Amino acid sequence: MGIVIHRAQVVTMDDATGATPVVRSIRIEDGLIVAVGTDVEPHPGDRVIDGGDRLVAPGFVNAHTHSWEMFYKGRYDNLPLELWMAMAYPILGNSYVDPDLVRLRSTLFAMESLKAGVTTVVDDVLENPGQDRRQLAAVFDAYEEIGIRANISGHVISKPFVDTLPFVTDHLPSDVVARIRANPVPTADDYLAFSREAFETHHGRGKGRLRYMVAPSAPQRCGADVLVGSTALAREFDAECHIHVLETKTQLVTGTEMYGGSLVSYMNVIGALSPNTTLAHGIWLTESDMGLVADAGTSISHNPISNLKLGSGIAPWRALQDAGVNLGLGTDGCSSSDSPRMLDVVKTAALLHKVTTPDFESWPRVEEVLRAGTVGGARSAMLQDTVGSIEVGMAADLVLYDLETMAFTPRQRLDHQLVYSENGSSITTVVVAGEVVVENGRVTTVDEAAVRAELAERQDEIVARQDELDRENAVLFDGFQAMYRTAMSTPGAVERFSGDARAWLV
């Protein structure tokens, strides 16, 4: 028995029709798309979905996100990344999260993602002081139960945090610096052994939906042995290696101050760029950096909403496209972006770069941003042969939109309305690996009410934990702010702010 979606408007994202909606029927069997065409007819016993008033599109791939921030949605505002980290990160010591709480936050994150039409998440999971086996298993368990597709990481920082930023030790009390440096950090051998075990234990769970990925936090936050070893391990397991690179001007300055040049050039020299590698953000790349990334076949996950909220700068969208870099789209975490809704990201990507130049022919096109949110994200996640388009042989990861809603009224160019008018409220059905996981706005695989009730029971505990972390981290804020001002006043090879940063520094 299969599923047949009969005569719907379909955005295939294949090479033939791309983002242009066409009338097609789709047959799904054993989790795969087995037929797409105008003459696909149901078999006896099939579930038939009338597509007469439906738009069908590939599920979105969230190519960079952090489920660990789920509990801190809406908590912070008007903080650049480095000052946000000084509040949100447990920099001063251990802030262990028990596996049951990890399971709850992962379930909540997946619920919101699926209901917003996100069928694949690249989830870079940070734990402090480091991820243990039970915490990692809790994420896999939650995602296996709910039915989402995911790359799930062990995020690692292998240097003391104060040694990952320029100038900061000049502005912090010496006892605070000593305390941070005294905190244990994993060695390369520790992390690579943990990751090999994770690959052997979890990679391919959920009938192949769930994959482990390595995630050295950033080139300045990890030793070369971690970066190179992670790259090799990802290639060995045909998996993703996910790294934050040049998200902010501070990181641009970090390259100059700590490595004598570009962080991307440094990664290229040590062999940490590869087709398996995704650079999260990539805002402050130079033209030379873009060439190195393109030549290596490395992807970039563009996170426009998080970049806007954190004031990180505007990524060079058209220059990256012209250089031949594969682009995915991501939400980033729910504390720096406040939602895993990829439709918000797609719309923002389509709009943001229009104000960077009057050359309207270079502005992002609807087809480009939809491709980045599907096919591009799939490629960055090393899932290009599995998801991202509606084609025979691909996994049946689909989203059905009701065309009778106001977002599509009146019906004009449906692909344009999907990007500019729809916010997820028209979603009726979400399918992952051929299983209906959302129907009529409700997740079918878990008891939503029970999950919400569990959250309500632990809400005070969750808020109290972060309140305490804010109080502890307050000692860092002035020093981090001084570091930030110094970095902003340091000349850089490129400029990615829309205004004159120098005026603020006067």
Side-chain angles (χ1 to χ4, degrees):
M1 186 175 69
I3 299 174
V4 173
I5 304 169
H6 195 250
R7 294 190 62 77
Q9 296 282 341
V10 180
V11 172
T12 67
M13 298 310 303
D14 65 9
D15 291 336
T17 60
T20 302
V22 290
V23 177
R24 296 288 187 271
S25 296
I26 303 166
R27 180 170 183 78
I28 300 167
E29 291 181 358
D30 298 323
L32 299 176
I33 298 167
V34 298
V36 181
T38 58
D39 57 354
V40 178
E41 296 296 333
H43 299 168
D46 284 343
R47 175 180 176 180
V48 179
I49 300 174
D50 183 1
D53 289 316
R54 294 292 183 268
L55 175 68
V56 184
F60 286 113
V61 178
N62 188 343
H64 176 65
T65 192
H66 300 286
S67 67
W68 69 270
E69 295 179 24
M70 183 66 188
F71 290 148
Y72 312 124
K73 185 188 298 183
R75 186 174 179 100
Y76 302 108
D77 196 14
N78 289 348
L79 294 173
L81 174 72
E82 289 77 22
L83 300 186
W84 171 83
M85 293 171 78
M87 298 301 295
Y89 275 41
I91 293 172
L92 290 169
N94 187 0
S95 183
Y96 184 81
V97 179
D98 71 76
D100 202 47
L101 204 56
V102 172
R103 175 197 53 78
L104 175 60
R105 80 182 185 205
S106 302
T107 301
L108 285 162
F109 182 79
M111 279 173 49
E112 186 171 1
S113 297
L114 288 172
K115 292 170 77 166
V118 178
T119 54
T120 299
V121 295
V122 174
D123 188 3
D124 191 9
V125 185
L126 170 68
E127 308 289 0
N128 192 72
Q131 191 180 58
D132 67 24
R133 293 174 180 84
R134 294 172 60 228
Q135 290 172 317
L136 179 63
V139 184
F140 274 89
D141 291 346
Y143 286 175
E144 184 167 17
E145 179 184 23
I146 203 167
I148 201 167
R149 191 179 303 276
N151 287 0
I152 301 162
S153 85
H155 183 117
V156 63
I157 298 174
S158 67
K159 296 181 179 180
F161 206 86
V162 290
D163 296 326
T164 68
L165 295 161
F167 319 125
V168 74
T169 55
D170 298 332
H171 300 289
L172 288 175
S174 58
D175 61 321
V176 172
V177 172
R179 178 181 170 187
I180 294 171
R181 285 179 172 159
N183 290 331
V185 294
T187 67
D189 288 344
D190 291 338
Y191 179 67
L192 296 175
F194 175 88
S195 292
R196 181 171 292 278
E197 180 183 326
F199 274 120
E200 293 169 350
T201 303
H202 297 295
H203 200 56
R205 281 182 56 179
K207 299 180 181 179
R209 284 187 292 104
L210 306 180
R211 294 161 58 88
Y212 180 75
M213 68 176 182
V214 286
S217 182
Q220 73 276 16
R221 298 181 200 138
C222 295
D225 48 1
V226 173
L227 294 167
V228 173
S230 296
T231 304
L233 200 57
R235 301 194 78 163
E236 178 183 343
F237 285 91
D238 193 29
E240 181 179 1
C241 182
H242 199 81
I243 310 175
H244 296 74
V245 176
L246 290 173
E247 181 177 356
T248 66
K249 184 180 178 183
T250 299
Q251 293 174 17
L252 178 74
V253 173
T254 298
T256 304
E257 293 290 322
M258 295 184 177
Y259 298 89
S262 161
L263 289 173
V264 170
S265 178
Y266 163 70
M267 292 177 68
N268 183 61
V269 168
I270 66 173
L273 295 179
S274 80
N276 295 63
T277 305
T278 294
L279 310 184
H281 301 285
I283 299 171
W284 291 80
L285 273 68
T286 65
E287 184 177 348
S288 175
D289 291 337
M290 295 181 219
L292 292 174
V293 171
D295 289 346
T298 294
S299 298
I300 288 179
S301 173
H302 176 36
N303 301 265
I305 293 180
S306 175
N307 298 344
L308 285 168
K309 183 174 183 184
L310 296 173
S312 299
I314 302 176
W317 169 275
R318 181 55 57 203
L320 289 166
Q321 294 272 2
D322 290 347
V325 176
N326 177 65
L327 292 177
L329 292 175
T331 62
D332 210 352
C334 280
S335 179
S336 63
S337 186
D338 305 286
S339 167
R341 289 190 304 271
M342 278 291 292
L343 277 161
D344 295 350
V345 172
V346 168
K347 181 175 182 177
T348 303
L351 294 174
L352 171 62
H353 305 283
K354 300 185 195 304
V355 301
T356 62
T357 173
D359 178 10
F360 58 88
E361 292 184 346
S362 73
W363 294 350
R365 298 183 291 275
V366 161
E367 195 276 341
E368 287 181 320
V369 295
L370 285 175
R371 183 165 295 278
T374 54
V375 176
R379 166 64 190 87
S380 76
M382 299 299 294
L383 294 171
Q384 63 271 22
D385 297 325
T386 304
V387 299
S389 61
I390 298 176
E391 301 181 75
V392 172
M394 301 293 277
D397 289 15
L398 312 171
V399 181
L400 281 70
Y401 300 84
D402 183 0
L403 293 177
E404 291 294 297
T405 62
M406 292 305 298
F408 297 100
T409 303
R411 296 186 197 179
Q412 294 282 352
R413 297 189 58 172
L414 298 180
D415 52 338
H416 288 203
Q417 287 171 277
L418 178 60
V419 170
Y420 292 118
S421 306
E422 174 57 28
N423 62 7
S425 60
S426 302
I427 293 172
T428 63
T429 308
V430 178
V431 180
V432 178
E435 300 293 330
V436 175
V437 293
V438 175
E439 192 155 29
N440 298 321
R442 303 287 295 179
V443 175
T444 64
T445 50
V446 298
D447 184 339
E448 285 194 36
V451 174
R452 291 178 181 278
E454 184 177 1
L455 174 63
E457 289 178 3
R458 305 197 70 167
Q459 177 75 22
D460 291 346
E461 168 197 350
I462 291 165
V463 173
R465 285 173 61 95
Q466 198 63 18
D467 286 346
E468 177 60 26
L469 184 61
D470 286 354
R471 286 190 290 271
E472 286 188 3
N473 283 350
V475 69
L476 303 172
F477 199 81
D478 288 347
F480 273 59
Q481 186 171 10
M483 175 275 300
Y484 174 77
R485 292 184 70 92
T486 304
M488 293 307 103
S489 65
T490 302
V494 294
E495 182 57 69
R496 302 296 183 209
F497 290 123
S498 63
D500 184 359
R502 293 169 299 177
W504 173 72
L505 293 164
V506 173

